[in-house]
Amino acid sequence: MADQREIRPFRIEIPQADVDDLRSRLAATRWPRSPQSGDWSRGVPVAYLKRLADYWATGYDWRAQERALNAVPQFTTEIDGQTIHFFHARSPEPDALPLVLTHGWPSSPVEFLKLIGPLTDPRAHGGDPADAFHVVVPSLPGYGFSNPIGEGGFNLFGVARAWAELMSRLGYERYAAQGTDVGTGVTGMLPMVDPGRVAGLHLTGTGAAPPFGPALELDELSAADRARAERFNRFREEGIGYLHIQATRPQTLAYSLNDSPVGQLAWIVEKFAEWTDPAAALPEEAVDLDQLLTNVSLYWFTGSGASTAHAVYEGMRAWRAFAAQQEAGPQAEHSGPPVGVAVFAADSTIRALMDPKGEIGHWSEYDRGGHFAAMEVPDLLVDDIRTFCRGLR
């Protein structure tokens, strides 16, 4: 009988028939008529998406991207009935600090590819070898090759427990954690499920408040915080349709995402248009286009559009139950490891709301980048992680 704790090497090998099928579907897209004049007020403009889909079908080289992904050591293991796929790059530096990076939606470990080299081998990237990390980048359940979602479903506590077990299986008894978007929730729960082993938490992709809550009051905010609050209020009014659909009717959406690559492309690229650096007019001005399409391709080839919709559904149900518990009465305060937060230009995070007692020791704000900082401004994010983690070593 196979050892359920076994860690198995993994290579991405998408069948050529699947690549050909993608290109055939893109070529046969039935494009909708649209009253749009080319702006993004109703969603992704048809003319823009046609150009992007044409490049995906005829210019983008999946095999080259697949080789680049396979250059990073990858593995799978089973934890609580869930297959977990992860990148694991060990540093050549003997005193490197283990670091687990957790992505969010609509992302994947592809988001962190530009970080792996500088984090694991700073000596080779103009940095101080004392800042080195052993890097672990798992795919959330239902994302990429951590698919399908296991019988335990998707909940942040369960994922955090799986990450704690994964780090233990890899022999890391003390480690730091970085998370963005949904990954911030997983990262924030790690000290609760793995007390004493988490050296520190570094968070990005946070928001000013829960998206389904009331609008933020603008009075008594600084000019910078007022701009972030206005951004959050616009998002709350106009930008959470995707979340309502996935949190309530994921199966209905799943048919389109699983059958139409253009539908999957539009569903993801809209978020890269809305959530990246405000100075970028188009997604490819904020992130590398091939890296963006590699992320979308991973969703397409693994059927992750459908499974991640269900993951959002289950995650939101768990979040609402947790929020109701919090409102039911005072909760015991938990002391934990040091926390660092990095806020980028497109973020709505406001320190006075997230950290009213001033307990977060490391807080950085940048005038570049956005929700996908690891893709947009990897240099800034690497430097911020290094700076925060120096006090943890």
Side-chain angles (χ1 to χ4, degrees):
M1 183 175 179
D3 182 1
Q4 293 299 305
R5 294 173 54 88
E6 180 186 5
I7 293 175
R8 299 170 293 276
F10 182 86
R11 282 182 62 81
I12 300 172
E13 296 177 331
I14 300 300
Q16 185 59 41
D18 290 357
V19 178
D20 295 340
D21 176 68
L22 167 62
R23 291 171 177 159
S24 295
R25 287 171 182 262
L26 289 169
T29 299
R30 191 172 73 151
W31 293 98
R33 295 174 181 172
S34 173
Q36 287 177 274
S37 59
D39 65 58
W40 291 69
S41 60
R42 303 188 187 200
V44 185
V46 173
Y48 172 78
L49 202 64
K50 280 185 175 181
R51 292 196 301 273
L52 205 58
D54 179 67
Y55 176 72
W56 194 13
T58 63
Y60 170 79
D61 186 347
W62 164 255
R63 292 303 182 198
Q65 299 303 315
E66 186 179 64
R67 288 192 295 272
L69 293 172
N70 284 329
V72 184
Q74 298 170 59
F75 306 86
T76 61
T77 193
E78 185 174 314
I79 302 175
D80 295 332
Q82 172 69 55
T83 296
I84 299 297
H85 166 264
F86 60 98
F87 292 90
H88 181 206
R90 288 187 59 85
S91 173
E93 305 297 337
D95 296 325
L97 177 67
L99 174 68
V100 57
L101 303 170
T102 308
H103 65 87
W105 182 91
S107 196
S108 68
V110 169
E111 179 174 358
F112 295 118
L113 287 179
K114 292 181 179 180
L115 304 191
I116 293 174
L119 289 177
T120 57
D121 194 2
R123 188 192 303 268
H125 292 81
D128 185 342
D131 288 329
F133 298 89
H134 301 304
V135 174
V136 180
V137 192
S139 297
L140 290 167
Y143 291 70
F145 297 100
S146 292
N147 221 341
I149 298 176
E151 292 182 3
F154 184 98
N155 69 81
L156 297 183
F157 278 106
V159 177
R161 285 194 296 267
W163 277 202
E165 172 63 19
L166 175 61
M167 297 303 279
S168 181
R169 289 185 190 182
L170 294 174
Y172 297 137
E173 292 306 312
R174 182 176 181 270
Y175 58 93
Q178 200 282 334
T180 185
D181 190 83
V182 175
T184 64
V186 175
T187 300
M189 291 175 182
L190 273 169
M192 294 182 242
V193 302
D194 206 14
R197 295 180 58 211
V198 182
L201 310 176
H202 186 276
L203 308 177
T204 57
T206 54
F212 294 128
L216 296 179
E217 297 290 339
L218 303 181
D219 297 340
E220 300 181 6
L221 292 177
S222 68
D225 285 347
R226 178 184 289 267
R228 293 190 180 94
E230 290 172 344
R231 185 179 301 119
F232 172 81
N233 286 345
R234 287 194 301 271
F235 166 71
R236 177 183 166 276
E237 288 295 322
E238 302 177 3
I240 59 174
Y242 78 97
L243 187 55
H244 278 293
I245 294 172
Q246 295 187 124
T248 57
R249 296 295 184 271
Q251 187 59 47
T252 303
L253 173 66
Y255 300 111
S256 298
L257 297 182
N258 208 60
D259 190 59
S260 169
V262 162
Q264 179 66 86
L265 177 64
W267 193 245
I268 291 179
V269 79
E270 180 188 87
K271 300 309 160 201
F272 277 81
E274 294 181 344
W275 297 351
T276 49
D277 193 322
L282 296 172
E284 62 267 32
E285 295 176 13
V287 301
D288 179 80
L289 180 56
D290 281 355
Q291 189 179 14
L292 170 57
L293 289 175
T294 298
N295 182 63
V296 178
S297 297
L298 194 61
Y299 271 72
W300 175 255
F301 289 133
T302 62
S304 292
S307 55
T308 58
H310 284 284
V312 172
Y313 174 86
E314 295 182 14
M316 288 303 300
R317 286 171 66 88
W319 176 80
R320 287 186 173 114
F322 176 76
Q325 182 184 17
Q326 293 293 105
E327 293 176 359
Q331 305 295 312
E333 292 193 9
H334 298 276
S335 60
V339 175
V341 175
V343 181
F344 296 90
D347 293 334
S348 65
T349 308
I350 297 172
R351 185 167 192 175
L353 300 179
M354 184 175 180
D355 184 30
K357 296 181 180 180
E359 297 174 334
I360 296 176
H362 176 94
W363 187 281
S364 304
E365 296 184 4
Y366 298 98
D367 60 4
R368 293 191 288 134
H371 193 74
F372 306 96
M375 297 173 70
E376 298 177 67
V377 285
D379 54 332
L380 295 183
L381 183 54
V382 165
D383 184 66
D384 205 85
I385 293 171
R386 287 173 176 171
T387 300
F388 169 69
C389 288
R390 284 179 190 137
L392 311 180
R393 296 176 182 270

Short mmCIF file of all heavy atoms in Angstrom, two decimals, residues 256-280:
data_model
loop_
_atom_site.label_atom_id
_atom_site.label_comp_id
_atom_site.label_asym_id
_atom_site.label_seq_id
_atom_site.Cartn_x
_atom_site.Cartn_y
_atom_site.Cartn_z
N SER A 256 -19.79 27.49 -18.62
CA SER A 256 -19.16 28.42 -19.56
C SER A 256 -17.65 28.41 -19.42
O SER A 256 -16.92 28.39 -20.42
CB SER A 256 -19.70 29.84 -19.33
OG SER A 256 -21.09 29.90 -19.55
N LEU A 257 -17.15 28.45 -18.19
CA LEU A 257 -15.71 28.49 -17.98
C LEU A 257 -15.03 27.21 -18.44
O LEU A 257 -13.88 27.23 -18.88
CB LEU A 257 -15.40 28.74 -16.50
CG LEU A 257 -15.87 30.07 -15.92
CD1 LEU A 257 -15.44 30.18 -14.45
CD2 LEU A 257 -15.32 31.25 -16.71
N ASN A 258 -15.75 26.09 -18.34
CA ASN A 258 -15.15 24.81 -18.71
C ASN A 258 -15.25 24.52 -20.21
O ASN A 258 -14.53 23.67 -20.71
CB ASN A 258 -15.84 23.68 -17.93
CG ASN A 258 -14.94 22.50 -17.71
OD1 ASN A 258 -13.89 22.63 -17.08
ND2 ASN A 258 -15.33 21.34 -18.21
N ASP A 259 -16.11 25.26 -20.91
CA ASP A 259 -16.36 24.95 -22.32
C ASP A 259 -15.80 26.00 -23.27
O ASP A 259 -15.55 25.70 -24.43
CB ASP A 259 -17.86 24.82 -22.56
CG ASP A 259 -18.19 24.27 -23.94
OD1 ASP A 259 -17.74 23.14 -24.25
OD2 ASP A 259 -18.87 24.96 -24.72
N SER A 260 -15.60 27.22 -22.79
CA SER A 260 -15.18 28.30 -23.68
C SER A 260 -13.88 28.92 -23.20
O SER A 260 -13.84 29.58 -22.16
CB SER A 260 -16.26 29.39 -23.76
OG SER A 260 -15.75 30.54 -24.40
N PRO A 261 -12.77 28.73 -23.93
CA PRO A 261 -11.54 29.38 -23.50
C PRO A 261 -11.62 30.90 -23.54
O PRO A 261 -11.00 31.57 -22.72
CB PRO A 261 -10.49 28.85 -24.50
CG PRO A 261 -11.28 28.37 -25.67
CD PRO A 261 -12.59 27.92 -25.14
N VAL A 262 -12.39 31.46 -24.47
CA VAL A 262 -12.55 32.91 -24.50
C VAL A 262 -13.33 33.38 -23.28
O VAL A 262 -13.02 34.43 -22.71
CB VAL A 262 -13.24 33.35 -25.81
CG1 VAL A 262 -13.80 34.76 -25.69
CG2 VAL A 262 -12.23 33.31 -26.96
N GLY A 263 -14.33 32.59 -22.87
CA GLY A 263 -15.04 32.93 -21.64
C GLY A 263 -14.11 32.90 -20.44
O GLY A 263 -14.16 33.80 -19.58
N GLN A 264 -13.25 31.88 -20.36
CA GLN A 264 -12.29 31.80 -19.27
C GLN A 264 -11.30 32.96 -19.33
O GLN A 264 -10.95 33.56 -18.31
CB GLN A 264 -11.54 30.47 -19.33
CG GLN A 264 -10.49 30.27 -18.26
CD GLN A 264 -11.07 30.17 -16.87
OE1 GLN A 264 -11.47 29.11 -16.42
NE2 GLN A 264 -11.16 31.30 -16.16
N LEU A 265 -10.84 33.29 -20.52
CA LEU A 265 -9.90 34.39 -20.71
C LEU A 265 -10.52 35.70 -20.23
O LEU A 265 -9.88 36.46 -19.48
CB LEU A 265 -9.51 34.49 -22.18
CG LEU A 265 -8.59 35.64 -22.59
CD1 LEU A 265 -7.23 35.53 -21.92
CD2 LEU A 265 -8.43 35.68 -24.12
N ALA A 266 -11.74 35.98 -20.65
CA ALA A 266 -12.40 37.23 -20.26
C ALA A 266 -12.61 37.30 -18.75
O ALA A 266 -12.43 38.35 -18.12
CB ALA A 266 -13.74 37.37 -20.98
N TRP A 267 -12.98 36.16 -18.15
CA TRP A 267 -13.27 36.12 -16.72
C TRP A 267 -12.05 36.49 -15.89
O TRP A 267 -12.15 37.15 -14.86
CB TRP A 267 -13.77 34.72 -16.36
CG TRP A 267 -14.41 34.55 -15.02
CD1 TRP A 267 -13.95 33.81 -13.99
CD2 TRP A 267 -15.64 35.12 -14.59
NE1 TRP A 267 -14.81 33.87 -12.92
CE2 TRP A 267 -15.87 34.67 -13.27
CE3 TRP A 267 -16.58 35.96 -15.18
CZ2 TRP A 267 -16.99 35.03 -12.53
CZ3 TRP A 267 -17.70 36.33 -14.45
CH2 TRP A 267 -17.90 35.87 -13.14
N ILE A 268 -10.86 36.10 -16.37
CA ILE A 268 -9.63 36.40 -15.64
C ILE A 268 -9.05 37.75 -16.04
O ILE A 268 -8.64 38.54 -15.19
CB ILE A 268 -8.59 35.28 -15.86
CG1 ILE A 268 -9.05 34.00 -15.15
CG2 ILE A 268 -7.21 35.70 -15.37
CD1 ILE A 268 -8.12 32.82 -15.31
N VAL A 269 -9.03 38.05 -17.34
CA VAL A 269 -8.33 39.25 -17.78
C VAL A 269 -9.04 40.51 -17.29
O VAL A 269 -8.40 41.55 -17.09
CB VAL A 269 -8.17 39.26 -19.32
CG1 VAL A 269 -9.45 39.69 -20.03
CG2 VAL A 269 -7.02 40.15 -19.73
N GLU A 270 -10.35 40.44 -17.07
CA GLU A 270 -11.05 41.59 -16.51
C GLU A 270 -10.46 42.00 -15.17
O GLU A 270 -10.31 43.19 -14.87
CB GLU A 270 -12.54 41.29 -16.34
CG GLU A 270 -13.33 42.46 -15.76
CD GLU A 270 -14.75 42.08 -15.40
OE1 GLU A 270 -14.97 41.60 -14.26
OE2 GLU A 270 -15.62 42.25 -16.26
N LYS A 271 -10.09 41.02 -14.34
CA LYS A 271 -9.53 41.33 -13.03
C LYS A 271 -8.13 41.90 -13.15
O LYS A 271 -7.72 42.72 -12.34
CB LYS A 271 -9.53 40.08 -12.14
CG LYS A 271 -10.92 39.52 -11.93
CD LYS A 271 -11.89 40.61 -11.48
CE LYS A 271 -13.33 40.25 -11.71
NZ LYS A 271 -14.23 41.41 -11.76
N PHE A 272 -7.39 41.45 -14.17
CA PHE A 272 -6.07 42.04 -14.37
C PHE A 272 -6.18 43.47 -14.91
O PHE A 272 -5.26 44.26 -14.74
CB PHE A 272 -5.24 41.16 -15.31
CG PHE A 272 -4.57 40.02 -14.61
CD1 PHE A 272 -5.27 38.85 -14.31
CD2 PHE A 272 -3.26 40.12 -14.19
CE1 PHE A 272 -4.67 37.80 -13.65
CE2 PHE A 272 -2.64 39.07 -13.53
CZ PHE A 272 -3.35 37.90 -13.25
N ALA A 273 -7.27 43.79 -15.55
CA ALA A 273 -7.51 45.18 -15.97
C ALA A 273 -7.89 46.05 -14.79
O ALA A 273 -7.45 47.19 -14.67
CB ALA A 273 -8.59 45.22 -17.04
N GLU A 274 -8.72 45.52 -13.89
CA GLU A 274 -9.28 46.33 -12.82
C GLU A 274 -8.39 46.41 -11.59
O GLU A 274 -8.47 47.38 -10.83
CB GLU A 274 -10.65 45.76 -12.41
CG GLU A 274 -11.69 45.89 -13.51
CD GLU A 274 -13.04 45.35 -13.08
OE1 GLU A 274 -13.10 44.62 -12.07
OE2 GLU A 274 -14.04 45.66 -13.76
N TRP A 275 -7.58 45.39 -11.35
CA TRP A 275 -6.86 45.30 -10.08
C TRP A 275 -5.38 45.61 -10.17
O TRP A 275 -4.70 45.62 -9.15
CB TRP A 275 -7.04 43.90 -9.49
CG TRP A 275 -8.46 43.55 -9.14
CD1 TRP A 275 -9.55 44.37 -9.13
CD2 TRP A 275 -8.95 42.25 -8.76
NE1 TRP A 275 -10.68 43.70 -8.77
CE2 TRP A 275 -10.34 42.38 -8.53
CE3 TRP A 275 -8.35 41.02 -8.58
CZ2 TRP A 275 -11.13 41.30 -8.15
CZ3 TRP A 275 -9.13 39.94 -8.20
CH2 TRP A 275 -10.51 40.08 -7.97
N THR A 276 -4.85 45.84 -11.36
CA THR A 276 -3.43 46.15 -11.49
C THR A 276 -3.21 47.66 -11.37
O THR A 276 -4.15 48.43 -11.20
CB THR A 276 -2.88 45.63 -12.83
OG1 THR A 276 -3.75 46.04 -13.90
CG2 THR A 276 -2.78 44.11 -12.83
N ASP A 277 -1.96 48.04 -11.44
CA ASP A 277 -1.54 49.44 -11.27
C ASP A 277 -2.44 50.39 -12.06
O ASP A 277 -2.61 50.23 -13.27
CB ASP A 277 -0.09 49.56 -11.76
CG ASP A 277 0.56 50.88 -11.36
OD1 ASP A 277 -0.13 51.92 -11.37
OD2 ASP A 277 1.75 50.87 -11.04
N PRO A 278 -3.02 51.40 -11.39
CA PRO A 278 -3.91 52.34 -12.09
C PRO A 278 -3.24 53.07 -13.25
O PRO A 278 -3.93 53.56 -14.15
CB PRO A 278 -4.31 53.33 -10.98
CG PRO A 278 -4.09 52.60 -9.70
CD PRO A 278 -2.93 51.68 -9.96
N ALA A 279 -1.92 53.14 -13.25
CA ALA A 279 -1.21 53.82 -14.34
C ALA A 279 -1.20 53.01 -15.62
O ALA A 279 -0.89 53.55 -16.69
CB ALA A 279 0.23 54.14 -13.92
N ALA A 280 -1.53 51.73 -15.53
CA ALA A 280 -1.53 50.86 -16.71
C ALA A 280 -2.91 50.89 -17.37
O ALA A 280 -3.91 50.59 -16.75
CB ALA A 280 -1.17 49.44 -16.32
#
